[in-house]
Amino acid sequence: MGKRMFIEGNVAIGFGAANADCQAFFGYPITPQNEIIEWFAREFPKMGRIFVQTQSELGSINMLYGAAATGIRAMTSTSSPGWSLMQETVSDMANAELPCVIVNVQRGGPGGGPIRHAQMDYLQCTRGGGHGDYRNIVLAPASAQECCDLMQLAFYLADKYRNPVVVMSDAIIGRLRETVEVERIEFGPVPDKDWAVKGKANHKDGKRRLVEHSGDLFGRYPSYQALLQRLQQKIRQMQESELRYEDYEAEDAKLILVAYGYTARVAKEAVNIARAEGIKTGLIRLITAWPFPHQVIREKAVRGCKFLVVEDSLGQVVEDVRCAVEGRAEVHLVGILDRHIPTDGGMILPDKVFDKIKEIQ
Amino acid sequence: MLKGEVVIDEEQCQGCGYCVKFCSRQCIVIAGDKFNKQGFLLPSVVKPEECSACGICAWMCPAAAIEVYKVSSKAQV
Amino acid sequence: MNEEGKVVTKQMIAGRPKLLVRQTAGFVYCPGCHEPVTARAIAEALDEIGMGDRTIGVFDIGCNSFLLGLLDIDAILTPHGRPPDMATAVKRVHPDNIVFTVQGDGGLLSIGADPLLGALTRAEKITIIMLNNAVYGTTGGQMAPTSLVGQKTTTTPQGRDMTQTGFPAHAAEMIATFKGAAYSARGAFNTPANYQRTRRYIKTAFQKQMNKVGLSFVEVLCACPANWRLSPTESLKWIEEKMIPEFPLGEFKNVAKIE
């Protein structure tokens, strides 16, 4: 039985990481995730774990590279502008095949943007984010409970695939206080980390280990193509095995809403309102934003469903849905321009989504 | 005869108290009896006759809410 | 004419400097903050040397960003830490303008360290003004490079531990060691005398730029009542008793020529 707490999503991230035996946190202040760095500043020293406030997001991600190279579970946390700053090293970590967890509590953009919520980093997170061809697993919590649970899943998946995993939250989920059962989740065993750097004396065979992000320059792979083949294989494995989504009333629905994070909760409410009026709608809530449920959506398109994407952006998830339906279905969008007020505090609200549902019918 | 006059822009004032602290003649006081729309307690010049127009209250005001005037009078010729 | 037959005249001897804009929506800084006082000193200095129309401000993210609404000069808002880079470019394009930055201690000495070193080693003829409030202000008071040993911040809740996080950085002294620096000084606004001195330091820094000597730097110890969790007048005391012993005031370098 876990410990029951009334905490905000950002704080739940900390508890989740601690339960996953994360040993190191590197971070830099940026709104709206300062509660995360402050939690780690308070709690990690008490647990004898590593906490460093870095000099910038570049410092955070490069320290994470270093820690991950030693094989320990480590993470950083940032918000959208900091996430942008980190991309070169994330690309490096994908090449070097380093397990790591990066939390991005999305805020508005582009640019410095408002410090409040938005969902505009979807394309960047799900396409790797940096240069070169790789993918991050992207987990999208829609509650403080999921912040705690998906963090634990993130560390497991990072180790399983030796790949970066992004936990893509937003300022609303981060700052919303809810009841959370903080419980340690056990996953299966993870591969050995014999590749990690820890001093030759600490290796059974006494031979040196190298962590580098070229791939073939030091013999890790016999050729550049061999590296790419491994990355391709990894991408396929992650797609086949790690898809997670929630099907809410979508079984017999003719209009399917697609959403993640805070807008998924809004969409759920709109589905309830619509069902009460006899309109058969349902929601596919992305729990992994990558892998994306292409097949699930394609099947629904074949059955004649229409789609309504609800996302707090100018249209990013909608591109994946359009791709998945392969031209067979209508795809609509309720986006950031449909917020209830034009200031940065505006939100997409259920009544707006319901209006669109009625319009599409 | 006044030597100096202090005019405080009450809309800009934030009640920080620097003018009270730095006036060398203790001319200004935050009595707690008035506040502006933003809720800041406003200062009052309670000893206008003591003002020497040194200008220090104006320099130290973060909101640049104070104007200090030197007042002089001369006989009409 | 008053009742005694005398003419009363009033002459304003202190008020809002020309280049400081009156905020119509209410004043945006925290009560007692020394950032707008720095803006005042900058405005007065620019006015004295007559360069208000030929000045470009380069302001970092953070509380400094509000200067775009406060100072009546051309200005650029930069990504965090990058003002020395932008200022370098702007000065190369407009060498006849005064180009100056305003940055926090976190923005200059942490994320801004590589732009700072670049500008110093290239001896860019820009002016950097660093506001030292010993915390990251805008994000709620986390430890900064200049936080004092033992200082409680939101990321050092037990106090800054020197065995884990080292010691406060001294920007003015460090910058004075670079050949490309023409001027380096540290001021404060905790007393009227210090206000006048610091205003002179800022004016001198601008004059170094006009004389094309090298990079000029002024560090200003700034009250931050909101993040220090003190009242404005208590903050002045903290500056006097805690900050000034650690960060002495004065000019650390002042050369007329670099060769």
Side-chain angles (χ1 to χ4, degrees), chain C residues 148-167:
Chain C
L148 306 177
V149 171
Q151 182 180 342
K152 293 203 170 120
T153 71
T154 63
T155 48
T156 56
Q158 313 300 324
R160 183 175 186 170
D161 177 355
M162 60 180 149
T163 66
Q164 294 294 307
T165 53
F167 310 90

Side-chain angles (χ1 to χ4, degrees), chain A residues 199-216:
Chain A
K200 273 198 305 194
N202 288 319
H203 294 300
K204 283 198 207 98
D205 62 5
K207 293 209 173 83
R208 75 175 198 272
R209 303 293 192 267
L210 298 176
V211 167
E212 40 69 38
H213 51 272
S214 75
D216 59 322

Side-chain angles (χ1 to χ4, degrees), chain A residues 65 92 94-97 211-228 231:
Chain A
Y65 183 114
D92 292 345
N95 178 310
E97 300 187 83
V211 167
E212 40 69 38
H213 51 272
S214 75
D216 59 322
L217 259 183
F218 300 96
R220 178 160 48 105
Y221 287 98
S223 67
Y224 176 46
Q225 186 118 100
L227 163 74
L228 294 176
L231 290 178

Side-chain angles (χ1 to χ4, degrees), chain A residues 28-31 34 37-38 41-42 46 51 53-58 85 112, chain C residues 80 82 106-107 109-112 136 138-140 142-144 154-157:
Chain A
Y28 185 73
I30 180 171
T31 310
N34 294 315
I37 183 178
E38 288 164 7
R42 277 196 312 274
K46 284 188 218 165
F51 166 79
Q53 180 182 326
T54 63
Q55 73 281 8
S56 71
E57 289 87 356
L58 288 175
L85 209 54
Chain C
H80 197 22
R82 309 313 306 189
L109 299 172
S110 281
I111 191 169
Y136 277 92
T138 323
T139 45
Q142 295 82 20
M143 182 191 85
T154 63
T155 48
T156 56

Side-chain angles (χ1 to χ4, degrees), chain C:
Chain C
M1 193 162 12
N2 69 5
E3 63 271 14
E4 292 164 17
K6 291 205 174 121
V7 175
V8 176
T9 50
K10 286 190 203 176
Q11 185 203 356
M12 188 166 88
I13 54 109
R16 179 178 301 105
K18 253 197 335 231
L19 294 170
L20 267 193
V21 177
R22 185 175 184 279
Q23 306 296 288
T24 47
F27 201 70
V28 72
Y29 285 93
C30 301
C33 172
H34 277 161
E35 171 123 33
V37 181
T38 311
R40 182 197 184 88
I42 292 170
E44 287 183 341
L46 286 173
D47 204 31
E48 266 173 57
I49 57 181
M51 289 294 284
D53 289 341
R54 279 172 299 146
T55 297
I56 299 169
V58 183
F59 305 134
D60 198 354
I61 293 288
C63 300
N64 319 289
S65 40
F66 301 127
L67 293 175
L68 273 99
L70 191 57
L71 279 171
D72 186 19
I73 56 173
D74 277 10
I76 296 171
L77 181 67
T78 74
H80 197 22
R82 309 313 306 189
D85 287 343
M86 270 77 175
T88 294
V90 172
K91 183 73 183 181
R92 298 297 180 102
V93 176
H94 294 290
D96 56 324
N97 266 257
I98 287 184
V99 179
F100 74 98
T101 79
V102 180
Q103 314 175 232
D105 48 281
L108 186 67
L109 299 172
S110 281
I111 191 169
D114 93 65
L116 171 64
L117 241 61
L120 272 171
T121 50
R122 292 187 309 265
E124 298 293 343
K125 296 170 187 57
I126 58 175
T127 300
I128 296 178
I129 297 175
M130 181 183 98
L131 304 186
N132 181 353
N133 65 341
V135 285
Y136 277 92
T138 323
T139 45
Q142 295 82 20
M143 182 191 85
T146 54
S147 297
L148 306 177
V149 171
Q151 182 180 342
K152 293 203 170 120
T153 71
T154 63
T155 48
T156 56
Q158 313 300 324
R160 183 175 186 170
D161 177 355
M162 60 180 149
T163 66
Q164 294 294 307
T165 53
F167 310 90
H170 294 75
E173 291 90 331
M174 176 185 85
I175 287 171
T177 65
F178 280 79
K179 189 154 182 188
Y183 183 74
S184 182
R186 180 185 288 116
F189 293 126
N190 63 318
T191 64
N194 279 340
Y195 173 83
Q196 291 299 340
R197 260 181 228 123
T198 305
R199 204 191 64 167
R200 262 203 328 272
Y201 296 158
I202 292 174
K203 183 176 166 186
T204 307
F206 289 153
Q207 280 166 334
K208 292 291 170 196
Q209 193 183 143
M210 288 168 74
N211 297 338
K212 303 189 191 345
V213 188
L215 191 144
S216 51
F217 176 75
V218 181
E219 175 178 340
V220 184
L221 303 182
C222 275
C224 185
N227 286 303
W228 294 348
R229 277 60 164 164
L230 296 173
S231 75
T233 39
E234 283 168 354
S235 303
L236 299 179
K237 208 152 154 269
W238 201 78
I239 291 177
E240 188 185 313
E241 291 175 5
K242 294 272 157 62
M243 288 192 88
I244 291 179
E246 178 69 45
F247 301 107
L249 308 182
E251 292 178 323
F252 296 89
K253 186 175 186 191
N254 185 345
V255 300
K257 209 167 170 205
I258 299 175
E259 53 209 342

